[in-house]
Structure formats: structure tokens, C-alpha cells
Amino acid sequence: MVQTTLMFWKDEWQPYRRALRYDSQQRFDRLYDGAQQYSMAGGALNPDNVERTVMVGMLLHLAKEVNELCDELDTLYENG
């Protein structure tokens, strides 16, 4: 159900995506890809509000990216 909603959501938001500048389109796509990575977990929840589950997947993906960037910065500072 979450994966179906993601496909519908991506189609529904295509006019918005096309109106974005190229770099923002890439960010939009990364948000979608991030939500897809967590769609199986969202499906296990069997949510009434699938859109909320999609947003949580996007946030989890963003949090992962932020943590990875912080780790890279820590490594750079340590290696001076």
C-alpha cells in the first residue's frame, strides 16, 4: 500500500517537479528515493494515513544523510 501510494504521489507531483529548477528537481528525487527505502517498514505499519508514513520515510532518509555528513566532517577534522 505504501509503495502504491508512493507511485501515485510521484505521478501526482510531476507538474510541481517539472516547475522546479534542475538542482531542486534532484533534491525532490532524493526525497522520493529516501521514502522508497523505508516503504517496506511503512507497509508493516499498515497505516491509515499513508502520506504521513511517506513523510516519515523521507525524514529518516534525511536524518541518515545528515549523520553521514557529520561523520565525514568529524573524520576530516580528526585528520586535520
Side-chain angles (χ1 to χ4, degrees):
M1 180 162 181
V2 174
Q3 290 178 343
T4 303
T5 300
L6 272 171
M7 290 185 330
F8 175 77
W9 182 83
K10 189 174 185 179
D11 290 342
E12 183 180 28
W13 282 81
Q14 280 306 305
Y16 177 84
R17 183 192 177 279
R18 281 192 298 272
L20 296 171
R21 294 179 183 252
Y22 178 78
D23 59 331
S24 294
Q25 288 178 357
Q26 302 307 306
R27 290 184 195 106
F28 181 93
D29 292 343
R30 281 178 46 206
L31 285 174
Y32 175 81
D33 293 342
Q36 243 182 345
Q37 289 179 16
Y38 293 95
S39 64
M40 293 295 282
L45 182 62
N46 196 17
D48 291 332
N49 186 336
V50 178
E51 290 81 10
R52 185 180 312 158
T53 305
V54 168
M55 295 297 168
V56 169
M58 289 177 178
L59 289 171
L60 284 170
H61 181 70
L62 287 173
K64 177 184 171 192
E65 285 187 349
V66 168
N67 287 338
E68 289 171 355
L69 289 170
C70 287
D71 290 345
E72 285 182 42
L73 279 175
D74 289 343
T75 301
L76 287 172
Y77 284 125
E78 289 171 4
N79 295 331

